[in-house]
């Protein structure tokens, strides 16, 4: 692992990062993504990322959320609802629970997907893959009482 990546992982596992990052990373990602017509996602320079467009659980309106993701071999994606290790589930996870039909912007393409909450052994296997991919997820889980939600997005 390159030294820069190790430093990034250490920093991103801190409580300070969890307190600050949610206020500027998504806004910056949305702005750059819009300005580049979907071709660039700044946070994807560190981790693969998508822009998830899901229907709001309460509002019924489209909600666009930049998210780190774990691309899967079959062409889908694993999304981790870590919320940077903060206490509540991120809003996008509630949106997908109520409205699993969604869309992702991936490398400049809009792709219709269906989200599925992972449970049991399938979740355990996906969690191991997520930890191998980005070890700070373990620190996020250790800080919260809730089980971090994992979703598999599959092409529809």
């Amino acid at each position: 692992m390159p030294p820069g990546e190790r430093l990034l992982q250490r920093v991103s596992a801190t409580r300070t990062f969890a307190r600050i990052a949610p206020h500027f990373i998504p806004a910056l990602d949305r702005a750059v993504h819009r300005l580049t017509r979907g071709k660039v996602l700044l946070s994807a320079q560190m981790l693969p990322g998508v822009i998830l467009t899901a229907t709001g659980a309460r509002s019924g309106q489209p909600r666009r959320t930049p998210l780190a993701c774990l691309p899967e071999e079959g062409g889908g994606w694993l999304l981790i609802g870590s919320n940077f290790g903060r206490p509540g589930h991120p809003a996008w996870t509630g949106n997908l629970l109520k409205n699993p039909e969604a869309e992702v912007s991936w490398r400049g393409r809009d792709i219709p997907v269906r989200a599925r909450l992972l449970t049991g052994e399938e979740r355990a296997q996906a969690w191991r893959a997520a930890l191998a991919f980005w070890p700070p997820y373990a620190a996020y889980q250790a800080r919260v009482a809730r089980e971090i939600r994992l979703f598999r997005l599959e092409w529809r």
Side-chain angles (χ1 to χ4, degrees):
M1 171 187 322
E5 187 174 331
R6 203 170 299 127
L7 175 63
L8 181 61
Q9 287 183 6
R10 277 200 309 270
V11 168
S12 70
T14 65
R15 290 180 189 273
T16 301
F17 183 83
R19 197 171 38 255
I20 296 169
H23 300 289
F24 71 89
I25 291 176
L28 189 59
D29 266 343
R30 277 191 285 273
V32 170
H33 189 261
R34 186 176 51 253
L35 289 171
T36 62
R37 294 188 180 113
K39 291 183 177 67
V40 176
L41 193 59
L42 272 186
S43 62
Q45 306 310 306
M46 297 176 283
L47 292 170
V50 297
I51 298 283
L52 172 71
T53 302
T55 302
R58 290 192 294 252
S59 71
Q61 298 299 308
R63 301 292 182 211
R64 294 174 54 82
T65 309
L67 299 169
C69 68
L70 176 54
E72 296 192 300
E73 281 190 32
W77 299 266
L78 183 65
L79 297 182
I80 299 95
S82 69
N83 205 13
F84 296 96
R86 296 183 306 164
H89 290 290
W92 64 264
T93 67
N95 295 342
L96 289 180
L97 288 173
K98 184 165 184 186
N99 303 298
E101 304 290 320
E103 184 176 272
V104 293
S105 177
W106 171 252
R107 297 181 176 163
R109 292 182 53 210
D110 293 331
I111 302 166
V113 295
R114 180 165 183 80
R116 189 167 47 82
L117 179 66
L118 302 182
T119 60
E121 182 51 37
E122 185 180 24
R123 186 203 179 278
Q125 188 176 37
W127 182 247
R128 287 189 295 274
L131 291 178
F133 173 70
W134 190 246
Y137 286 135
Y140 298 167
Q141 182 63 80
R143 283 201 296 262
V144 297
R146 66 180 175 87
E147 181 178 72
I148 290 176
R149 292 174 176 161
L150 301 180
F151 287 86
R152 179 159 283 130
L153 300 183
E154 298 163 336
W155 293 55
R156 349 178 218 130

